[in-house]
Amino acid sequence: MTENDFIPKQYSEEIKHGEVSWSAPSNIALIKYWGKLENQIPANPSLSFTLNNCKTITKLTFSKLEKPTSEFQVDVFFENEKNESFRPKILQFFKRIEKYLPFLRDYKFSIETANTFPHSSGIASSASGMAALSLCLMEVEKMLNPEMTLKHFHQKASFLARLGSGSACRSIKGEIVVWGKHEQIRESSDLYGTAYSSQVHENFKNFQDTILLIDKGEKQVSSSVGHNLMNNHPFAQQRFAQAHENLRKLKVVLENGDLKSFINIVESEALTLHAMMMTSNPYFLLMKPNTLEVINKVFEFRKSRGLHLCFTLDAGANVHLLYPENEKQQIEEFIEAELVAYCQNRHYIRDGIGSGAKKL
């Protein structure tokens, strides 16, 4: 499969106007993608849990213009208000994907979008947002080409989402998604995310994710800037090799159900991500004091109770707490009693593994 396989031939149908809606979830990477090559190709493979409750809901309304225009005709609304600040990113996205969706200049589009979680707070809102928009655009293309297969629909939606936000390609499918070529995962690709098809132990079915909102403000550094810092990073090549090795180890763990090894790999990946930011130039410290307080509390709880609670982090201060469903009651009592106090305004989100995007 190459990028050229996503360039469509002549469409068989003509559509004057319409409206489509999709919801797409966020995802939380266990093996972190950090660093990218040209055209949003990942420098290392990643693996993520697809979430269920944290999602973006997008409605795309479109009407055909009398003739194609030199500029894209797009209005963007976020949570029921016109949002000019999002528009440049959407226009940049349209420029990147026009080669693969040649109908984009033929229509006027209205994009109405909303999140079920705080925007720009380290819960991958760009991932769910670009995934939902890509699925809506693919729905339009499917109207123009009704012969499109479901497999092609999902692969191309993931491919397009990647061009908007790299991790967005992992928000199309569920429950576990791999993005980036890995020698031991046959279906893996740099071009799009694929549902993890290897055996998964019962221990990891219905895994829970409670997200502690330590800091709901804008991130200190954008993901794009952070990824670019890997270009000249002194430890970049070692990090990329580590990600390949950790994915190999995690594949074994997902099959045998070893929760202690799972914790070791996932927490190490989270701390390595932040170590890369702290040792780049310029350098950034993305954790807050309460992030560290929570991590130390998790260490203490695990040692004293013997339960399988672990943390992971994205490129921000918020903490994702991961744990098996059969330990849910005891762990959530601990979270409420000991950890919620460290959240901004005591706000947190209970979530878990989900099945992927849905047409509305």
Side-chain angles (χ1 to χ4, degrees):
M1 179 74 77
T2 70
E3 294 183 355
N4 289 335
D5 292 310
F6 294 115
I7 299 174
K9 297 174 183 176
Q10 189 171 2
Y11 296 128
S12 61
E13 301 294 325
E14 184 175 333
I15 306 295
K16 294 293 186 182
H17 55 82
E19 179 183 293
V20 295
S21 296
W22 277 82
S23 73
S26 184
N27 66 79
I28 179 64
L30 309 181
I31 304 298
K32 305 296 186 181
Y33 139 68
W34 202 243
K36 59 187 176 184
L37 309 177
E38 197 174 0
N39 295 324
Q40 298 282 88
I41 296 296
N44 66 264
S46 58
L47 179 144
S48 60
F49 279 158
T50 306
L51 299 184
N52 187 57
N53 300 329
C54 291
K55 57 190 174 184
T56 298
I57 300 165
T58 297
K59 180 171 76 172
L60 180 71
T61 306
F62 57 97
S63 56
K64 192 157 190 180
L65 301 166
E66 288 187 12
K67 60 180 181 179
T69 60
S70 58
E71 298 293 328
F72 297 113
Q73 302 296 303
V74 186
D75 290 325
V76 183
F77 297 84
F78 179 63
E79 296 183 347
N80 298 318
E81 292 187 5
K82 196 163 188 177
N83 191 301
E84 290 298 327
S85 65
F86 284 2
R87 197 165 177 273
K89 187 170 185 178
I90 299 298
L91 293 177
Q92 180 188 43
F93 176 53
F94 274 31
K95 287 177 183 176
R96 285 181 180 175
I97 66 174
E98 182 182 11
K99 178 180 177 181
Y100 309 103
L101 296 179
F103 62 82
L104 290 178
R105 293 189 192 273
D106 296 336
Y107 291 89
K108 178 176 174 58
F109 295 98
S110 175
I111 301 167
E112 299 172 57
T113 189
N115 294 334
T116 63
F117 57 93
H119 173 70
S120 292
S121 61
I123 318 181
S125 58
S126 60
S128 56
M130 285 300 178
L133 177 56
S134 296
L135 285 158
C136 287
L137 292 170
M138 283 305 301
E139 194 70 32
V140 177
E141 185 170 70
K142 195 168 191 321
M143 294 178 186
L144 296 168
N145 178 22
E147 301 302 314
M148 182 187 302
T149 66
L150 194 60
K151 180 179 180 180
H152 182 82
F153 179 93
H154 286 125
Q155 283 184 346
K156 186 170 178 178
S158 180
F159 170 83
L160 296 174
R162 189 198 92 235
L163 295 174
S165 171
S167 59
C169 75
R170 299 193 309 248
S171 282
I172 304 295
K173 304 289 281 185
E175 301 171 337
I176 303 174
V177 176
V178 176
W179 170 41
K181 190 66 182 170
H182 190 274
E183 63 277 6
Q184 293 191 358
I185 302 177
R186 188 180 59 185
E187 70 275 15
S188 59
S189 171
D190 288 339
L191 298 180
Y192 48 81
T194 54
Y196 184 75
S197 61
S198 298
Q199 182 180 350
V200 177
H201 194 277
E202 284 296 318
N203 285 348
F204 302 109
K205 301 293 176 68
N206 299 318
F207 226 67
Q208 304 296 298
D209 180 4
T210 293
I211 307 162
L212 303 183
L213 301 178
I214 306 296
D215 183 2
K216 292 190 285 184
E218 293 282 336
K219 290 186 290 186
Q220 180 184 348
V221 58
S222 72
S223 293
S224 294
V225 171
H227 285 294
N228 289 339
L229 290 172
M230 291 297 285
N231 292 339
N232 298 305
H233 200 292
F235 308 131
Q237 294 310 313
Q238 295 94 323
R239 164 57 199 156
F240 301 148
Q242 179 196 47
H244 278 269
E245 178 63 12
N246 280 345
L247 183 49
R248 183 193 67 77
K249 291 178 180 177
L250 187 60
K251 183 176 185 293
V252 174
V253 167
L254 290 173
E255 291 173 2
N256 66 25
D258 183 350
L259 287 166
K260 287 185 178 179
S261 294
F262 175 85
I263 290 169
N264 178 262
I265 295 167
V266 169
E267 291 186 344
S268 174
E269 277 285 311
L271 295 174
T272 298
L273 169 64
H274 283 254
M276 291 297 102
M277 292 298 288
M278 287 189 278
T279 51
S280 64
N281 191 10
Y283 43 83
F284 294 92
L285 182 58
L286 302 182
M287 297 186 199
K288 301 291 186 181
N290 282 357
T291 309
L292 294 172
E293 292 284 354
V294 166
I295 289 172
N296 282 315
K297 287 279 189 181
V298 169
F299 290 158
E300 293 169 9
F301 174 80
R302 205 161 58 221
K303 185 176 179 180
S304 64
R305 300 288 292 275
L307 296 176
H308 300 94
L309 171 65
C310 75
F311 69 86
T312 189
L313 310 163
D314 271 337
N318 297 329
V319 182
H320 288 251
L321 298 172
L322 304 174
Y323 47 98
E325 187 179 39
N326 63 0
E327 298 178 5
K328 178 177 178 178
Q329 182 176 343
Q330 293 166 283
I331 288 175
E332 290 187 349
E333 287 173 358
F334 163 70
I335 291 170
E336 182 64 38
E338 299 287 338
L339 301 185
V340 172
Y342 296 106
C343 299
Q344 187 176 338
N345 300 322
R346 297 183 64 87
H347 288 171
Y348 67 101
I349 300 170
R350 285 183 178 172
D351 211 331
I353 291 184
S355 57
K358 293 179 173 62
K359 183 180 177 181
L360 304 177

